[in-house]
Amino acid sequence: MIPLVLPPGNDRGRPVDQTHRIAILGASGYTGAELVRLIATHPRMAIRALTADRKAGQCMGEVFPHLRHLDLPRLSTIAELDLDGIDLAFCALPHATSQEVIAALPRDLKVVDLSADFRLRDPAVYARWYGHEHMALDLQAEAVYGLTEFYREAIRGARLVAGTGCNAATGMYAILPLLQAGVIDPDEIVIDLATGVSGAGRSPKEGMLHSEVSEGYHAYNVAKHRHLAEFDQEFSRAAGRKVEVTFAPHLLPQNRGILATIYVRGEAGAIHGALAQTYADEPFLVVLPLGESPATRHVRGSNFVHLGVIPDRRPGRTIVFSALDNLTKGSSGQALQNANLMLGLPETMGLMAPPLFP
């Protein structure tokens, strides 16, 4: 097996102190596997614990054969998890599971949660959208929203970071700068978004079968998708007033990638300028030349976001595009970017690999 890349060790072969020991809870899902893939070449992180209750005792290479070349710890149950010496834990567990698990973790352990459990600041809003009361209100109040480019300083000092929804991140990267700059009408935002099937997770579902998804394209959860709660929260904060958008997600017959096509009232030149200015120094945000639109195949497997702006044929209206990989920048890559900040590491470390193409 090929060992994970580590900095030079001391004379006993142990990693130097600067190597941060990592645990991944829920490693048998797509986001858990993506975390392993990314951390495998990270020069300052080493995976020391992996959990997957239903697959406990197995090797990661048995669950994900594409990772069999890595020397990784065996999967264990959360009850068996040894957190001694662990610096940070990624929690890639299902929604409504994370809050109870994280509440039981040591208070000095840094945590990046990839579920929806800590994304919403208002407990009443959480209960309305997710259908049950929150079970860890003290942690919910402590959690920092994980949209890195907009909450960077708070994330740097956080103990618990709540990763965004992948659809939510795709829309917010396009719209937040425009609301902050006041170059669009907050009451006329329509987000038409298409996402790959891996966003639904790895658990068997009839609607995710190849024969159900391939050769087709359909909308789902229209006007009731839970990521609407994140849009409401963050767009209203950016605009300084209540903002509610129209959002229609669609399922793409492909594994990875999200493309949002967003219709707004505003001048294309001002919109493009606001995006370019906001992201001028951001390593992962690429604003295409005015008139160009992005494609999911150009960000696949990467932590990059491509944004495009095209004037509509009607004066005063503009179409804005946003493309990212739902498993990387939309989830696990974003989580690693936040973990880098929390551990005092360069934000881009382990994340600058170019997209996979073709």
Side-chain angles (χ1 to χ4, degrees):
M1 287 194 177
I2 301 172
L4 296 182
V5 177
L6 300 174
N10 60 21
D11 58 358
R12 296 184 183 179
R14 294 195 301 267
V16 294
D17 292 341
Q18 289 84 355
T19 299
H20 297 280
R21 296 164 176 81
I22 302 301
I24 301 174
L25 283 59
S28 62
Y30 289 140
T31 57
E34 187 77 346
L35 280 167
V36 172
R37 182 181 75 87
L38 295 171
I39 297 172
T41 56
H42 194 291
R44 298 281 295 278
M45 290 185 185
I47 297 172
R48 292 291 181 252
L50 296 168
T51 77
D53 283 6
R54 287 179 296 175
K55 298 184 183 297
Q58 296 186 42
C59 295
M60 195 66 172
E62 295 177 274
V63 181
F64 290 105
H66 71 292
L67 301 174
R68 68 169 70 244
H69 64 288
L70 299 174
D71 186 10
L72 295 164
R74 280 187 176 271
L75 295 165
S76 71
T77 66
I78 291 176
E80 298 168 333
L81 182 63
D82 181 4
L83 291 170
D84 185 39
I86 298 296
D87 299 303
L88 183 142
F90 292 98
C91 196
L93 297 167
H95 306 321
T97 302
S98 290
Q99 54 196 271
E100 196 170 349
V101 170
I102 293 174
L105 296 176
R107 290 291 299 177
D108 60 346
L109 179 66
K110 295 180 186 295
V111 179
V112 179
D113 183 36
L114 283 72
S115 81
D117 282 8
F118 297 99
R119 294 170 184 166
L120 303 179
R121 299 184 187 93
D122 186 338
V125 172
Y126 174 87
R128 184 166 73 250
W129 282 93
Y130 287 90
H132 57 86
E133 298 297 321
H134 203 283
M135 303 301 292
L137 293 177
D138 58 331
L139 292 177
Q140 187 183 34
E142 173 191 348
V144 175
Y145 194 62
L147 194 68
T148 319
E149 289 76 9
F150 292 86
Y151 290 93
R152 181 174 282 118
E153 292 310 312
I155 290 167
R156 207 183 300 275
R159 188 190 77 86
L160 171 61
V161 170
T164 72
C166 53
N167 291 340
T170 311
M172 286 188 287
Y173 279 123
I175 296 301
L176 283 177
L178 310 183
L179 290 171
Q180 291 175 340
V183 296
I184 61 172
D185 184 341
D187 295 321
E188 293 200 34
I189 303 172
V190 178
I191 303 174
D192 185 8
L193 180 147
T195 182
V197 295
S198 61
R202 203 184 189 203
S203 298
K205 303 178 184 71
E206 183 178 283
M208 295 296 110
L209 293 172
H210 177 76
S211 56
E212 302 280 340
V213 173
S214 66
E215 301 178 37
Y217 177 70
H218 66 272
Y220 68 98
N221 289 345
V222 178
K224 60 182 180 180
H225 195 289
R226 288 170 171 174
H227 289 179
L228 274 166
E230 291 178 69
F231 286 142
D232 291 350
Q233 174 179 277
E234 298 304 312
F235 289 166
S236 298
R237 182 178 184 271
R241 48 157 284 193
K242 185 175 182 179
V243 176
E244 292 183 333
V245 303
T246 299
F247 174 47
H250 301 76
L251 192 64
L252 281 172
Q254 66 183 48
N255 292 332
R256 289 174 177 258
I258 301 177
L259 177 67
T261 303
I262 306 170
Y263 309 96
V264 297
R265 182 185 288 275
E267 296 296 333
I271 288 169
H272 188 268
L275 291 173
Q277 181 176 357
T278 299
Y279 297 130
D281 297 320
E282 292 295 344
F284 297 116
L285 274 291
V286 179
V287 180
L288 304 180
L290 183 64
E292 290 189 20
S293 60
T296 60
R297 65 182 177 274
H298 295 154
V299 294
R300 188 167 66 95
S302 80
N303 205 53
F304 292 95
V305 181
H306 286 189
L307 298 166
V309 177
I310 297 180
D312 188 63
R313 65 177 183 171
R314 295 174 296 170
R317 293 183 182 271
T318 300
I319 306 168
V320 184
F321 299 90
S322 178
L324 57 75
D325 185 309
N326 57 291
L327 289 179
T328 315
K329 184 57 169 168
S331 190
S332 300
Q334 177 195 98
L336 182 56
Q337 189 177 349
N338 290 330
N340 281 335
L341 287 171
M342 296 165 75
L343 294 171
L345 300 173
E347 185 176 324
T348 60
M349 186 171 281
L351 289 168
M352 292 305 292
L356 301 171
F357 187 84

